[in-house]
Amino acid sequence: ITGSRKEPVNDDTVTGKFDHNFSGGKAGFMSASYSWNDGDRSPCGLYCEVTENGAVGGNGTISKKHTFALNHTSVLTPTTINEFKFGYSFSESAGDIRLGTRDTKALAFHPNRTKVGQIVITPMAESVGYRVDGSTYTQKALQFKEGISFSKGNHSFRAGTEIKRFRYKQDACSRGCNGIVTFRNFAEFFGPDA
């Protein structure tokens, strides 16, 4: 038992932007921006060491996001403009993160798990144990764009290329992957059979 409920919340954000005009028109102008965000929530209740469940337990969440953007525009001639864009983003969110430090591997229901499963006794409002492991979802995106536009008389033309690359990753334990054992009453819990 760890004591009274604690619920620290941290949220940090940093944003920066850079703009520059070059001396010549062909060199053009450039802008860049970067944003960084990192947050977490760590509720730890009275039974944080032995359960993830409800208001008395403890399961943390994490949220991270980084984005970077670069833009460069050149005026090659009075009728021709070249534009280059690059962007990158990374985001990660995680939930069901165990906050307790007690080692329950020896009590695990399954030999390939490192936590004791969830134990439910029907009259109790709260259960003990860990029904799931943490889940992490990651996304990476990369974008590149190069284009040129020019005009001739009453006509305007544009040509270029664009590349987008996305990567998604999910690392999650399905619901109940640590196992769930339910007892109808305390007599069954203290009895020889589950």
Side-chain angles (χ1 to χ4, degrees):
I1 296 177
T2 59
S4 60
R5 181 174 178 80
K6 302 177 294 181
E7 191 166 335
V9 176
N10 300 307
D11 195 5
D12 302 308
T13 302
V14 175
T15 302
K17 188 173 182 182
F18 171 78
D19 292 299
H20 180 68
N21 286 323
F22 295 95
S23 58
K26 288 186 178 181
F29 55 90
M30 183 175 66
S31 65
S33 63
Y34 175 74
S35 177
W36 174 83
N37 181 271
D38 193 351
D40 63 78
R41 180 175 175 268
S42 306
C44 197
L46 183 64
Y47 305 119
C48 181
E49 289 287 347
V50 293
T51 185
E52 64 189 359
N53 193 46
V56 297
N59 256 355
T61 60
I62 291 175
S63 174
K64 297 179 181 179
K65 187 171 184 181
H66 306 268
T67 58
F68 173 75
L70 177 68
N71 183 31
H72 181 260
T73 304
S74 302
V75 181
L76 303 178
T77 70
T79 59
T80 307
I81 296 176
N82 185 72
E83 188 175 34
F84 167 80
K85 290 185 176 182
F86 172 79
Y88 174 78
S89 69
F90 168 86
S91 63
E92 181 178 87
S93 62
D96 295 323
I97 300 170
R98 179 184 175 189
L99 300 175
T101 57
R102 186 180 302 272
D103 182 7
T104 61
K105 185 175 182 179
L107 302 173
F109 300 164
H110 191 283
N112 294 331
R113 299 293 178 214
T114 59
K115 301 175 188 173
V116 63
Q118 188 178 49
I119 301 171
V120 181
I121 304 173
T122 304
M124 293 177 59
E126 302 288 351
S127 60
V128 296
Y130 299 91
R131 184 169 53 103
V132 298
D133 285 333
S135 302
T136 304
Y137 306 90
T138 305
Q139 175 182 314
K140 297 177 182 179
L142 184 71
Q143 183 174 355
F144 167 86
K145 185 177 181 181
E146 173 73 27
I148 188 168
S149 60
F150 56 93
S151 58
K152 182 86 171 171
N154 293 330
H155 303 281
S156 179
F157 303 91
R158 177 172 292 183
T161 184
E162 184 173 2
I163 299 171
K164 292 182 179 179
R165 181 175 181 259
F166 294 93
R167 292 292 181 267
Y168 301 97
K169 181 182 177 185
Q170 176 181 335
D171 183 8
C173 173
S174 62
R175 294 291 145 185
C177 65
N178 287 325
I180 303 172
V181 176
T182 303
F183 299 92
R184 288 178 290 186
N185 49 52
F186 282 101
E188 279 192 2
F189 175 70
F190 289 107
D193 301 318

